[in-house]
Amino acid sequence: MDVWLWSVRLVKTRSTAASACRGGHVRVNGAPAKPSQAIGPGDEVRLWSHGVLRIVEVVDPLKKRVGAPAAALALIDRSPPPPPKEVLASIPRRDRGAGRPTKRERRQLDRLKSFE
């Protein structure tokens, strides 16, 4: 699994792929994946990385890293489109170092999150 994620360029390094698997950020056909798990054609891989969900279908289970054009042919990307920039801009963010939210701010955040 970690070799395939690295070889199709979903992650930058193999150790990052292994860490993502151990951390529960990778699922194969709905089940958590281990770094050493074998995959085959038709498997659905879900990778949560940098706040973005990537959903891909395995076409070719590569055993080693190949060139970018060949890596693009080894998967079918079924990821949902990213949200519009207006939606991302409307999400309130706390300034770095501002400390913990107050009780009032926590209630406001909970109200915002309940609409999602």
Side-chain angles (χ1 to χ4, degrees):
M1 172 52 57
D2 61 340
V3 174
W4 187 81
L5 289 172
W6 170 69
S7 64
V8 296
R9 292 168 167 76
L10 289 177
V11 293
K12 286 191 176 194
T13 65
R14 210 175 139 196
S15 61
T16 305
S19 297
C21 290
R22 282 192 298 273
H25 301 288
V26 180
R27 292 186 165 270
V28 176
N29 298 326
K34 292 184 177 180
S36 62
Q37 181 174 345
I39 56 171
D43 286 344
E44 179 190 66
V45 177
R46 291 175 177 255
L47 170 69
W48 185 262
S49 175
H50 303 290
V52 177
L53 176 65
R54 297 287 308 266
I55 302 171
V56 295
E57 182 181 332
V58 178
V59 175
D60 184 15
L62 301 172
K63 301 291 183 202
K64 61 182 181 178
R65 194 165 169 104
V66 293
L73 297 174
L75 60 92
I76 299 171
D77 194 357
R78 301 194 190 283
S79 302
K85 291 184 180 180
E86 296 83 30
V87 172
L88 291 176
S90 69
I91 298 173
R93 305 230 186 249
R94 292 183 60 79
D95 293 330
R96 187 165 177 85
R100 293 179 57 175
T102 63
K103 193 171 187 178
R104 178 174 181 243
E105 291 170 337
R106 171 61 58 202
R107 285 191 204 116
Q108 290 171 343
L109 285 171
D110 290 341
R111 251 184 260 126
L112 273 174
K113 289 180 181 179
S114 68
F115 289 115
E116 293 178 359

